[in-house]
């Protein structure tokens, strides 16, 4: 970052918070009191309250070598909004807690906050509180999002029923391919001062990775069409993993068709360039933040009215298990491979024929190779 | 920690979460859905919703050399409850996010969680969600607490009025002295395998530091006596700092009397032993988690009925500023020294005559000496 840099010590914690949160206006009627007291205060008389929380750790969830701080702030907020939409609700407030190591300046944190505040503005969310402290190693961002929905519209993971249609919004695998591209250019740039990364024609992949959007439009379209999904999740860990969550919570099985999985042209090109299995990327690549949901069979005609929604399969009885039907008609058992092990498996024949590998790498011993995009 | 140790990788993220959150029963009628979906779901038809959040970072907020993980979990939860009580509300739900480095085992995290769950049980709070991820450096704990209060009972910092009485619960400075004691014994123990720390007769100080309690009893007593404070905060950064917050938010001044500040006998002995100024410790030592509040003058008789509440001074017009009246009748301007700079000032003549020093050390350049108890 260029320009004037101010040490955080020059402002102090309270001075920094004042600077970051000045001019914040509360826009939602549910927001009664924001930053500046022991608690934020809200009113939810007529709707149920939804709460979701996410913890992002430098070196695990993001790599500041290629992630601009403003984008990071935007994404950190949006992924929380996505959890609220995944319940068929609307995000209303967030709290933002930061642990900051001493290599960050006031201007760095302002850039991060400008992304968070931009996301709040676009999605109509109020920033109502948080905590700011120091850290010995890197940046930690913890965001909690509060939202709401009328009780009869809240959608859990557990409501999918036999014969329901399985739908996804947008396309899958592009954020993961964007990450691969950023990682490749990071390696290529090592030690070169004037390095120019090669992103031409691949801007969509970069944007999907660095500046994802939450699917408010889908939630609004479902409401407009009078559709309440029977189950729903957002796709953060990969389609395979989320399908298994829904099937487990709903005690059902599923059949998903390989040729129905929505994949963008740039994703396909990039997979070929990197010699990676495309379906693997689409099934297990994470961070799409698309919505995965099920609707009753009779909603088929209504679903078709919503642009960008694709029916990729259907729910079955539990004893049939969860399977992907490949283009050649074979059934492959779906396993929660997780998007971390993808590179190791890039040469494997199929997304789903890889050895069973649950998300054990997410915490603990395999920390560095685990939850880390940077290392994936 | 002794006994069987299980690597977190052996369970995986979802396996770990299952193990930590199994058997959790939701007890509050406001808790509709807990762990296991994209969001927790709550109902708050008749009361306003209060939200508070705290981020605790290893090496900054806690030192695992002498803080047992179960105590750490208990304290991390309780300090969040304290923020809700400080609004005159009741905590109802928490979400718990953890970033865990690979030196921690499943049993370590179970110990941490057992403390969190014990606090929840004692204070009647439901654990409804969270996030678990890996960390490259140490343990990070982010807790968000949701509570509620009827609108006409919520107490902000901003309601103090001229002539109001200033009250505090319990005693001050003991948690800070407990920290000094723990630090002293840590230094003394360096390199000695069989070291026995010297805590005899000082158990109260250790307990105040390692296992603080939130003052639910005070909130209940105020309700029973029909008293709604005009302003309130919990004392986490030290009495001086919190008094200035209330006076700034309320646009008033204050007079506090040195001889009215409640100090425990063990605190006084320890200050003498360490050659530290006792009033400095009581005014600026942090982590007391007592309640500081103001009531109208006419509530004086009612306040006297509540055990353990002490009137330490009164609110004034803003132009009179904020001052401590010393035992010899002098007026010392109150400054937010913060409890971090205390050791440097231990030899100073008075708690309040030290040079102006705001909490600039909390973040940024002075990270290590800043927000860190371990370094204080």
């Amino acid at each position: 970052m260029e320009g004037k840099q101010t040490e955080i010590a020059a402002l102090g914690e309270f001075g920094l918070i004042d600077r970051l949160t000045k001019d914040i206006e509360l826009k939602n009627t549910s927001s009664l009191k924001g930053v500046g007291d022991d608690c934020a205060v809200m009113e939810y008389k007529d709707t149920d309250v939804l709460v979701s929380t996410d913890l992002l750790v430098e070196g695990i969830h993001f790599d500041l070598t290629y992630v601009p701080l403003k984008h990071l702030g935007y994404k950190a907020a949006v992924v929380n909004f996505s959890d609220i939409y995944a319940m068929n609700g609307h995000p209303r407030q967030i709290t933002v807690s930061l642990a900051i190591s001493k290599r960050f300046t006031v201007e760095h944190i302002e850039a991060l906050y400008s992304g968070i505040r931009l996301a709040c503005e676009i999605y109509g969310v109020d920033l109502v509180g948080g905590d700011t402290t120091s850290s010995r190693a890197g940046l930690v961002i913890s965001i909690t999002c509060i939202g709401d929905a009328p009780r009869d519209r809240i959608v859990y993971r557990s409501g999918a029923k036999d014969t329901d249609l399985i739908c996804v919004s947008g396309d899958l695998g592009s954020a993961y391919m964007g990450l691969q591209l950023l990682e490749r250019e990071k390696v290529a740039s090592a030690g070169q001062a004037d390095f120019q990364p090669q992103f031409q024609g691949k801007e969509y992949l970069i944007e999907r990775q660095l500046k994802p959007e939450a699917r408010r439009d889908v939630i609004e379209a479902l409401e407009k069409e009078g559709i309440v999904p029977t189950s729903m999740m957002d796709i953060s860990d990969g389609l395979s993993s989320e399908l298994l969550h829904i099937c487990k919570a709903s005690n059902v099985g599923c059949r998903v068709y390989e040729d129905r999985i929505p994949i963008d042209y740039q994703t396909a090109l990039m997979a070929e360039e990197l010699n990676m299995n495309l379906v693997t990327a689409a099934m297990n690549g994470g961070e799409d933040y698309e919505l995965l949901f099920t609707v009753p069979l009779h909603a088929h005609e209504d679903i078709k009215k919503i642009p960008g929604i694709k029916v990729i399969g259907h729910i079955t009885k539990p004893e049939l298990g969860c399977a992907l039907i490949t283009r050649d008609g074979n059934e492959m058992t779906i396993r929660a491979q997780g998007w971390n092990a993808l590179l190791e498996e890039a040469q494997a024949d199929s997304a789903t024929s890889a050895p069973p590998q649950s998300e054990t790498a997410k915490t603990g011993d395999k920390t560095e190779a685990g939850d880390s995009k940077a290392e994936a």
Side-chain angles (χ1 to χ4, degrees), chain A residues 3-31:
Chain A
K4 181 173 175 287
Q5 297 291 305
T6 311
E7 284 190 5
I8 290 173
L11 289 183
E13 181 192 7
F14 297 125
L16 177 65
I17 291 173
D18 283 348
R19 187 145 155 186
L20 295 173
T21 59
K22 70 172 183 226
D23 308 325
I24 287 186
E25 288 173 22
L26 302 181
K27 288 172 183 172
N28 286 301
T29 53
S30 55
S31 305

Side-chain angles (χ1 to χ4, degrees), chain A residues 117-175:
Chain A
R117 290 181 66 166
L118 178 63
C120 285
E121 198 181 310
I122 290 174
Y123 288 86
V125 173
D126 291 324
L127 201 169
V128 296
D131 192 14
T132 303
T133 184
S134 48
S135 151
R136 286 194 165 179
L139 179 64
V140 178
I141 308 171
S142 176
I143 294 187
T144 297
C145 188
I146 300 119
D148 72 331
R151 185 161 312 168
D152 58 2
R153 291 197 64 84
I154 295 178
V155 179
Y156 294 93
R157 299 176 180 181
S158 55
K161 301 213 161 37
D162 187 20
T163 78
D164 279 358
L165 299 172
I166 301 171
C167 309
V168 294
S169 63
D171 64 85
L172 302 179
S174 48

Side-chain angles (χ1 to χ4, degrees), chain A residues 288-309:
Chain A
D288 295 311
Y289 301 106
E290 296 295 343
L291 291 171
L292 167 68
F293 58 95
T294 56
V295 295
L297 202 48
H298 64 71
H300 195 213
E301 290 306 309
D302 291 330
I303 279 294
K304 283 204 286 189
K305 292 179 200 161
I306 306 178
I309 302 296

Side-chain angles (χ1 to χ4, degrees), chain A residues 43-49 147-151:
Chain A
E43 174 188 52
Y44 283 106
K45 282 202 297 273
D46 304 318
T47 50
D48 283 344
V49 182
D148 72 331
R151 185 161 312 168

Side-chain angles (χ1 to χ4, degrees), chain A residues 72-128:
Chain A
L72 177 63
Y74 190 88
K75 181 170 175 175
V78 162
V79 303
N80 271 280
F81 304 162
S82 182
D83 279 320
I84 304 281
Y85 292 124
M87 301 292 285
N88 206 26
H90 286 274
R92 305 296 184 193
Q93 291 91 18
I94 55 169
T95 62
V96 177
S97 293
L98 302 177
I100 307 165
S101 72
K102 58 181 167 181
R103 77 176 202 275
F104 293 91
T105 64
V106 171
E107 287 74 14
H108 288 135
I109 305 304
E110 282 185 320
L112 180 75
Y113 247 73
S114 71
I116 295 171
R117 290 181 66 166
L118 178 63
C120 285
E121 198 181 310
I122 290 174
Y123 288 86
V125 173
D126 291 324
L127 201 169
V128 296

Side-chain angles (χ1 to χ4, degrees), chain A residues 168-182:
Chain A
V168 294
S169 63
D171 64 85
L172 302 179
S174 48
Y176 181 74
M177 281 301 164
L179 179 64
Q180 299 312 313
L181 180 57
L182 287 163

